[in-house]
Amino acid sequence: MIKIANLKKQFGETIACNIPSFKVSDGDVLGLVGNNGAGKTTLFRMMLDLLKPDKGQVSLNGINPALSEDWKKDTGACIDESFLIDYLTPEEYFAFLGKIGGIAQTEVDNRLGDFERFAGGEVFGQKKLIRNLSAGNKQKVGIIAALLRKPRLVVLDEPFNFLDPTSQNVLKHLLTDYNKSTGATILISSHNLQHTIDISTRIALLEKGRIIKDLTNVEGSAKEELADYFGGE
């Protein structure tokens, strides 16, 4: 379970995060939506101890990420390509993640087989350094890396960015199946409202650093309310 208490972050006069209280239950697929500057990435960065809050704290299964690194073994994340080691090939990078996670190379290879369709013949076996991949294929490497160790918490910031329509649809199924098969909690932020509605069991709407709506999303039930907010028809 994720718990947020009195979490605040401000950059100059801009309030990037102001969340008095919020909880995410185990097994939720939570979509964070909001316009540019709503605070989605700031919130994720504080959850992952990449950015220090001005006040308050986040708790991941009872662990404050700022005080302990024990949460890392159960967490997979991709915020941007800075998470990647770009002077390695994808295979070298995944092997490295397996080593630090205590996963045998044979098991790493087996797990990579689950991502063949998502990789689409453009990531594995290409003998390219990550830095020389397209933006979409770098995105795929980051997402695969986030899921490789089968974490109980997955955090993905704008995972549909740079992906072609086929890869976006494959990713939706990949995340939905991962949630159902493992019971993992998944947090995504995305400007793609429809994809977010399609896969999320719950949607949090952010505005100027605040969660202004916390919507249950059963079979797309949040769609109308979100469309009203974003000016849809």
Side-chain angles (χ1 to χ4, degrees):
M1 177 184 288
I2 300 169
K3 294 183 180 179
I4 295 173
N6 299 314
L7 192 65
K8 294 183 179 180
K9 185 65 180 181
Q10 191 164 337
F11 299 103
E13 298 299 316
T14 301
I15 297 173
C17 182
N18 183 6
I19 303 175
S21 179
F22 190 70
K23 294 181 181 179
V24 182
S25 299
D26 292 341
D28 277 353
V29 181
L30 177 71
L32 294 181
V33 298
N35 290 315
N36 289 337
K40 303 183 294 297
T41 300
T42 297
L43 176 57
F44 278 172
R45 287 187 172 279
M46 288 191 287
M47 284 184 177
L48 300 171
D49 194 34
L50 299 172
L51 182 66
K52 299 297 184 184
D54 296 330
K55 294 181 180 179
Q57 68 178 35
V58 177
S59 172
L60 307 179
N61 291 320
I63 300 170
N64 183 340
L67 301 178
S68 170
E69 295 192 351
D70 289 347
W71 58 278
K72 290 185 177 180
K73 66 180 183 295
D74 294 319
T75 303
C78 183
I79 300 297
D80 54 42
E81 65 179 69
S82 68
F83 276 51
L84 308 177
I85 303 176
D86 69 357
Y87 56 81
L88 301 178
T89 66
E91 286 86 353
E92 290 170 340
Y93 180 50
F94 299 137
F96 169 74
L97 294 177
K99 285 183 180 180
I100 63 174
I103 306 170
Q105 185 60 46
T106 53
E107 178 61 18
V108 171
D109 294 339
N110 286 336
R111 293 186 186 187
L112 290 178
D114 295 337
F115 302 101
E116 285 282 359
R117 186 171 176 228
F118 179 54
E122 298 178 329
V123 172
F124 304 141
Q126 300 303 298
K127 297 182 179 180
K128 287 185 178 181
L129 301 180
I130 292 172
R131 66 162 64 107
N132 295 327
L133 297 177
S134 68
N137 288 330
K138 288 178 183 177
Q139 185 82 321
K140 290 179 181 181
V141 171
I143 293 168
I144 293 169
L147 298 173
L148 184 64
R149 293 185 297 142
K150 298 184 178 180
R152 300 288 297 170
L153 172 63
V154 179
V155 181
L156 302 174
D157 192 19
E158 298 290 350
F160 300 104
N161 273 7
F162 312 118
L163 300 183
D164 59 55
T166 296
S167 297
Q168 290 179 9
N169 284 323
V170 172
L171 178 58
K172 286 197 296 184
H173 290 293
L174 180 65
L175 294 177
T176 299
D177 291 345
Y178 184 81
N179 168 257
K180 289 180 178 178
S181 64
T182 66
T185 305
I186 300 177
L187 277 61
I188 69 164
S189 73
S190 179
H191 284 112
N192 191 313
L193 199 57
Q194 188 57 57
H195 287 341
T196 305
I197 291 168
D198 287 345
I199 68 173
S200 300
T201 59
R202 183 177 168 199
I203 295 177
L205 175 58
L206 278 76
E207 182 180 284
K208 297 180 179 179
R210 297 175 174 85
I211 295 176
I212 61 171
K213 290 184 183 291
D214 180 9
L215 304 173
T216 299
N217 185 47
V218 179
E219 296 183 354
S221 59
K223 182 175 182 178
E224 184 175 349
E225 191 163 354
L226 291 173
D228 287 343
Y229 176 83
F230 289 107
E233 296 182 0

